[in-house]
Amino acid sequence: MQTGLDVLHTTDWDRTFHAYGASGDAPGRLSGLLADDPDTLTRSLDYLYSAMLHQGTLYPATVPTVLFVAGLLERPGAGRPHPDAGAGPEPLRAALLGFLRDTAEAAATGESDAALAERARLSPAERDRVVEAVLADDEDVWEEPALEALTWQVVVDLRAAAPVLRDAVQPLLTCPDALLRSRAVEAAAAIAALGGLDLDLSGAADMAETRDEAAVIVLAKGEAGGDTSEFLAHADPAIRACAALAPALSSNPEATRVLVESLDDPREADRWFGTRPAAFGGHVRFTLVRTLAERAGPGDAERLLPVHRRMAALSSAYTAEADCGPLLELAFARVPGEGVPDEPTAVQRAYLRALLDNDEIWSGTVANFSVRLKSLGLPMDREGVRELVEA
C-alpha cells in the first residue's frame, strides 16, 4: 500500500470527494504540507480538518490523504516547527500524528469485518452513480442511504490501512523528543484500536521521563483494549486515574473507586499535566466525571452526591454542562414509559441545591446546560429550580 508522495501522484483525486465535494483540489492543498512558507503550511493543516475530517466525518478522499500524511512522517522537513504550535514550538510531525490519531478514532467501531463489509455493500453501478452525483453538486445525494454505504467503505479501507499506518508511526515511539514520543503513542494506540492490532509500547515506556509521558502510555494501553489494572495501585494519582479510564475496566469496582478518588479535588486533577494527553478533550475533570457517570446507575446517585457537590462548587455557566450534566443525568434518570415525577426526591433536591449554591452557574445563559436541564424535565432558570427545591 503506497504512502507519501506516491499516493499524491497516483490517486485519481477527481473521482473522489471530501466535505465540500470533488477533491480535485487535494494535490495542490496537500502539497502545502511540504512548503516552507508558514501561511501555506497553516492552510494545508487547516485543510486536513476542514475538508478531509470535517467535524470528525470521514469521506472517500480521507483514505488517500491519511496514507499521504503517514508517508510524510519520515521526511526530514517534518521535523520543523509548524506555525500554529504556540509558545513551545512542536514539530510538524506532531500535528501530522494528531491527524492520524483523530482519523483513526473517527473510524473506530466495534463492528466485525463481516458486518462492516455488509454495511458497505454497494454495486459498482450504484457506487459510480453516487460519486457522479456528489461531483455534480447534487445536494440531495447527501441524504441517500447509498452515501452512508460509501462512508462505511471508508471505514473498511482505513481498517485495511491500519498496519501500514502503524508501521509509519512505530519508529517515532522511541524518538529522542518526549513530546513527539507522546504524540506517536497516542496515534499508535488509536491505529491499533482501529485495526485490532497488537500494540507494543515497551520502547516508549523505557524512555518515559515524566508523568505526562507515563500517563499517555497508560491511556494508550487502555484505548487499545489492554488491561491497565496493574496501575490502579500506582503511587501517582494521575496514573491511577488514567488506568481507571480504560474501557476494559468499566465494570471494575476498584477502577470506579479510583475515579471517585480522583475527583476529591477536581481543580488539582486539572493541574496534573504540563502537556495534557489527547484523551482529555478539555479539562481533565470533564473526562473523569463523564466516565464515572457512564459506569454508574441511578442507584449510585446518592453515593456520588459528594462528587457532584465538588463539581458544582467550581463550575460556571460555561462549564456546567460538562461539570454537572453527567451526574445530573444519573440523579434524574427517568423510568422508561414514565414522565417526570411531580416532586423531586431528597437526593434530587440535594443535587439541585448544589447548583443553586453557586452564583457562577447562573451568571449567564449557555445553551448546552439549559438544554440538559430541559431534557431532564427541570426548569432552565435559577428561580424555577429554587421553587422546585422549596416546594
Side-chain angles (χ1 to χ4, degrees), residues 1 63 66-67 156-166 191 194:
M1 193 174 288
V63 179
V66 164
L67 290 167
V156 171
D157 293 342
L158 287 172
R159 182 177 285 185
V164 174
L165 301 178
R166 176 196 58 190
I191 292 166
L194 168 65

Side-chain angles (χ1 to χ4, degrees), residues 191-216:
I191 292 166
L194 168 65
L197 308 174
D198 291 334
L199 181 65
D200 181 7
L201 298 177
S202 57
D206 289 341
M207 298 181 70
E209 300 171 345
T210 65
R211 166 192 273 181
D212 291 4
E213 276 196 89
V216 166

Side-chain angles (χ1 to χ4, degrees), residues 37 65 68 76 78 81-82 113 116 133 185 193 237 300 313 318 326 351 374 385:
D37 175 60
T65 298
F68 168 68
H82 69 82
D113 289 345
L116 279 180
V185 166
D300 297 311
Y318 300 99
Y351 268 76
K374 183 177 180 179
V385 172

Side-chain angles (χ1 to χ4, degrees), residues 317-328:
Y318 300 99
T319 65
E321 163 59 18
D323 282 327
C324 306
L327 289 180
L328 273 180

Side-chain angles (χ1 to χ4, degrees), residues 44-292:
S44 293
L45 288 170
D46 290 343
Y47 179 76
L48 294 177
Y49 286 93
S50 64
M52 299 301 181
L53 193 62
H54 183 70
Q55 297 181 350
T57 302
L58 303 167
Y59 304 90
T62 308
V63 179
T65 298
V66 164
L67 290 167
F68 168 68
V69 168
L72 298 186
L73 294 175
E74 64 180 4
R75 293 178 66 88
R80 67 190 187 282
H82 69 82
D84 293 332
E90 61 183 47
L92 174 60
R93 279 194 186 94
L96 301 180
L97 286 165
F99 177 69
L100 295 182
R101 177 198 69 231
D102 293 340
T103 303
E105 289 180 349
T109 173
E111 299 274 6
S112 66
D113 289 345
L116 279 180
E118 184 60 32
R119 287 182 178 273
R121 186 183 300 278
L122 207 60
S123 70
E126 184 69 353
R127 188 180 306 277
D128 289 343
R129 183 194 68 78
V130 172
V131 171
E132 287 291 350
V134 172
L135 299 182
D137 293 329
D138 180 353
E139 294 184 2
D140 293 337
V141 74
W142 293 94
E143 305 300 325
E144 291 190 21
L147 191 71
E148 184 177 350
L150 277 184
T151 302
W152 283 110
Q153 184 61 51
V154 174
V155 176
V156 171
D157 293 342
L158 287 172
R159 182 177 285 185
V164 174
L165 301 178
R166 176 196 58 190
D167 292 346
V169 171
Q170 192 77 27
L172 297 175
L173 294 175
T174 54
C175 73
D177 184 274
L179 173 63
L180 202 54
R181 285 199 303 272
S182 291
R183 295 290 180 264
V185 166
E186 291 168 341
I191 292 166
L194 168 65
L197 308 174
D198 291 334
L199 181 65
D200 181 7
L201 298 177
S202 57
D206 289 341
M207 298 181 70
E209 300 171 345
T210 65
R211 166 192 273 181
D212 291 4
E213 276 196 89
V216 166
I217 290 170
V218 173
L219 288 164
K221 184 175 181 178
E223 181 182 356
D227 181 3
T228 58
S229 56
E230 64 180 296
F231 298 103
L232 293 175
H234 197 280
D236 188 328
I239 303 303
R240 292 199 298 271
C242 290
L245 291 171
L249 301 188
S250 60
S251 59
N252 184 308
E254 179 60 13
T256 301
R257 188 198 67 77
V258 167
L259 289 176
V260 172
E261 174 192 71
S262 70
L263 289 167
D264 283 348
D265 187 346
R267 289 193 190 279
E268 178 59 28
D270 286 339
R271 294 191 288 263
W272 277 344
F273 307 111
T275 300
R276 189 172 60 219
F280 299 101
H283 288 305
V284 171
R285 68 180 193 265
F286 293 168
T287 300
L288 297 176
V289 74
R290 183 182 68 249
T291 305
L292 178 61

